[in-house]
Amino acid sequence: MKLAGAVTEGSGAVNEDGYGFAGPPDDVHAAWVFDGVTGINGGSRLGAASDAAWLVARAEAHLAELAVLDRPLDHILSALVERLMADWASGTANTALPSDYDPPAACLILAKRYVSGWKALRLGDSCLLARWPGGSHRIFAASPNNAFDHWLAEEAGKRRDGSVPDMKALLAEFRPRLLAARAMRNKPGGYSVLECSEASLLMPEYTDLGHPEDILLCTDGYYRAVDHYGLFDDQALLDASSASAEKVLAALRAAEAADPDCRRFPRFKPADDATALMLISNNGEQR
């Protein structure tokens, strides 16, 4: 498959998303998207703009080396986690972390081509849309943490009824609940996510895609164009992203800018980092 386009843009001073691919743009054989989990520690302790940005940068560097290897996805994930654990040990060796420190984490979507077809790995709530010849499509967009996300949006909306508190105030108020939710990472009844821990290996989602015509990898911030703002359905998002992911992002940002207090479209954050990578059929690729 070939790269039709890719885009990434932060919603604030730090973009905690990331993406990459292996192979030349006209013959991509692996692609991935990261979505760093917004920190609630009140500052960075790992020498980067944020701890989530540190994790994404380290994971991107490692995956660029690992994704080219002819190994199953679970082996690639194991090697990635092993490297991240070493990074964490080195990065925190001389750092005293508070008892309620929230460790960095990130969502990950990785798609890789094998002899038998494309396969995908998913950790967290980022999205993968795939379409096969004939127009059928498949989506992986449901988050195991949707109920909590909806609760956050509703509670934040109540506080915005009288005023418009900034994100720092909301994060401070909801921090105990956020910590409790994040304690369920990679645990039964919780949700999967990539972190510097072997726990990342407990709940990954693997999918056999076969030989799709199109593949879209995107963060939930980009998928807001569908599930929050109703600018597209899944089919239209694939079409629009194939034509120009930049234009999709521009439409997304326009919708957010038109609703800065989150009243028309209830959500916890007025905007989110947004990243997408679109692959389309290469006529020379064997099916």
Side-chain angles (χ1 to χ4, degrees):
M1 302 188 81
K2 61 183 179 181
L3 182 69
V7 64
T8 184
E9 181 181 272
S11 57
V14 182
N15 183 2
E16 296 174 331
D17 284 0
Y19 74 85
F21 60 92
D26 62 349
D27 187 22
V28 174
H29 49 82
W32 55 88
V33 161
F34 287 101
D35 181 359
V37 177
T38 302
I40 56 175
N41 295 308
S44 174
R45 290 173 171 80
L46 295 169
S50 75
D51 290 350
W54 172 87
L55 173 63
V56 168
R58 298 309 307 146
E60 280 188 309
H62 296 316
L63 198 52
E65 297 178 355
L66 295 170
V68 301
L69 303 177
D70 186 19
R71 296 184 183 176
L73 288 177
D74 59 337
H75 290 196
I76 290 174
L77 177 60
S78 293
L80 173 61
V81 170
E82 182 178 357
R83 292 187 181 194
L84 289 175
M85 290 173 62
D87 290 337
W88 175 257
S90 174
T92 60
N94 299 311
T95 302
L97 299 175
S99 59
D100 63 348
Y101 177 75
D102 178 45
C107 303
L108 166 64
I109 287 278
L110 166 64
K112 181 174 171 61
R113 187 180 71 203
Y114 293 88
V115 173
S116 61
W118 284 81
K119 300 181 186 298
L121 158 68
R122 178 176 183 251
L123 287 167
D125 60 4
S126 289
C127 305
L128 187 156
L129 282 69
R131 178 167 55 188
W132 287 261
S136 63
H137 66 282
R138 181 185 302 169
I139 178 172
F140 304 93
S143 165
N145 203 28
N146 267 345
F148 184 69
D149 289 344
H150 291 323
W151 179 86
L152 276 178
E154 291 174 1
E155 291 300 312
K158 294 175 183 177
R159 283 127 182 97
R160 292 184 177 109
D161 284 343
S163 62
V164 184
D166 62 23
M167 278 303 301
K168 287 185 178 180
L170 288 174
L171 284 171
E173 178 177 354
F174 292 124
R175 191 172 191 275
R177 294 294 297 268
L178 287 165
L179 277 171
R182 293 185 180 189
M184 296 303 294
R185 288 171 174 166
N186 297 314
K187 293 181 180 178
Y191 58 97
S192 66
V193 75
L194 178 68
E195 53 187 342
C196 303
S197 164
E198 289 183 343
S200 305
L201 307 178
L202 298 177
M203 298 172 57
E205 176 184 350
Y206 296 103
T207 305
D208 188 346
L209 298 173
H211 300 279
E213 188 174 58
D214 302 301
I215 298 176
L216 172 64
L217 310 178
C218 67
T219 62
D220 62 342
Y222 186 88
Y223 193 71
R224 281 186 174 192
V226 175
D227 65 357
H228 277 62
Y229 311 127
L231 302 174
F232 308 92
D233 60 17
D234 295 333
Q235 184 87 358
L237 184 65
L238 283 165
D239 293 337
S241 300
S242 296
S244 174
E246 289 84 0
K247 289 183 179 180
V248 173
L249 179 60
L252 169 72
R253 294 303 189 212
E256 291 171 336
D259 183 40
D261 57 1
C262 308
R263 296 182 189 275
R264 181 180 178 189
F265 304 109
R267 57 204 190 276
F268 183 56
K269 296 188 289 185
D272 198 3
D273 300 344
T275 298
L277 186 150
M278 185 75 205
L279 301 177
I280 61 175
S281 176
N282 185 330
N283 292 332
E285 183 172 340
Q286 184 177 3
R287 281 194 170 22

